Amino acid sequence: MTKIIGHRGAMGYRPENTVSSFLKAIRIGAHGIEFDVHLTRDNIPVVIHDERVDRTTDKIGEVKDYTFGQIRKLDAGTWFSRDFFNERIPSLNDVLSLDVAGDFIFNIELKAGSYYYPGIENIVLKQIYDCHLENNVIISSFDHGALLEVKRLSPTIKTGALFCARLYEPWEYLKSLKCDFYHPDYRTIDKEIIKNAKMHNLPINTYTVNNENTMTDLIQADVNMIITNYPDLGIRILNY
Ligand code: G3P
Ligand code: MG
């Protein structure tokens, strides 16, 4: 059965990548959550999408220039609605400590922007093992070098390679990365590629699907996971 994963929590309803967004996805009954991780100046993994804080907080600047103590003071909710003025940028540890079902999926996206955070793979892996969540996580990234490093450090941790463009025979490339999952933009896949990926034992976790008809088609095509801003929509379709 296709699993429904809340994108940045339930970002259609709550300020993205905040505890309140993750709790909303959990309450809806999502099978897991996807969220984005950067490192602060003092190497604490924090959950925010952009490499700058400008769009989703009340301050400006790059995540990497803030210490954890400093970034923690920012208001990460009011940009979305005044009702969420208390929201903070969560640490990775805050999110991994949420109370969830035993098979809940944490899809941790290591952010790959204009620069790379040295050592991010090791720091994130350590937190995963400290929380005993090694069987619940998928580490994904557009930075495929980081995914290879994750596998080198910890071969049993599941990884998923993100792509925005169409790929030729993705199973060949993903094999070379020792990657467990293919994470394409849903607009770059079709029935044929889904069928072929299945033949090559390559599960597809596709993003970011918010349209009901598209979601229905992808569920019928039996993709492994759908990452969506509206997890309630996916759960409703599954329960039809
Ligand atoms: O992991 C799926 C999706 O989150 C990738 O794109 O920019 O929303 O992090 P983005
Ligand atoms: Mg993401």
Side-chain angles (χ1 to χ4, degrees), residues 127-191:
Q127 293 216 351
I128 292 167
Y129 283 101
D130 285 351
C131 295
H132 308 290
L133 286 172
E134 56 274 18
N135 295 319
N136 297 70
V137 300
I138 298 172
I139 299 186
S140 64
S141 190
F142 287 102
D143 181 340
H144 302 164
L147 297 179
L148 208 49
E149 178 63 3
V150 166
K151 280 289 183 188
R152 192 186 69 77
L153 292 167
S154 191
T156 55
I157 287 281
K158 298 273 192 289
T159 60
L162 282 159
F163 300 87
C164 340
R166 195 176 295 273
L167 274 197
Y168 173 66
E169 297 187 342
W171 39 90
E172 295 299 334
Y173 175 61
L174 291 180
K175 213 189 301 165
S176 75
L177 280 177
K178 305 183 182 71
C179 214
D180 303 280
F181 299 104
Y182 175 33
H183 286 223
D185 181 318
Y186 76 92
R187 293 166 293 192
T188 66
I189 54 172
D190 54 24
K191 284 208 172 92

Side-chain angles (χ1 to χ4, degrees), residues 7-8 17 34-36 49 109 111 140 142 162 227:
H7 187 226
R8 308 181 203 170
N17 284 329
E34 183 274 356
F35 51 92
D36 310 286
H49 181 269
E109 183 183 343
K111 260 322 184 195
S140 64
F142 287 102
L162 282 159
I227 299 170

Side-chain angles (χ1 to χ4, degrees), residues 48-67:
I48 177 169
H49 181 269
D50 303 355
E51 59 195 28
R52 296 186 64 85
V53 301
D54 308 25
R55 180 177 61 86
T56 56
T57 76
D58 55 338
K59 293 285 184 299
I60 57 163
E62 294 189 315
V63 175
K64 70 172 176 50
D65 294 329
Y66 281 85
T67 63

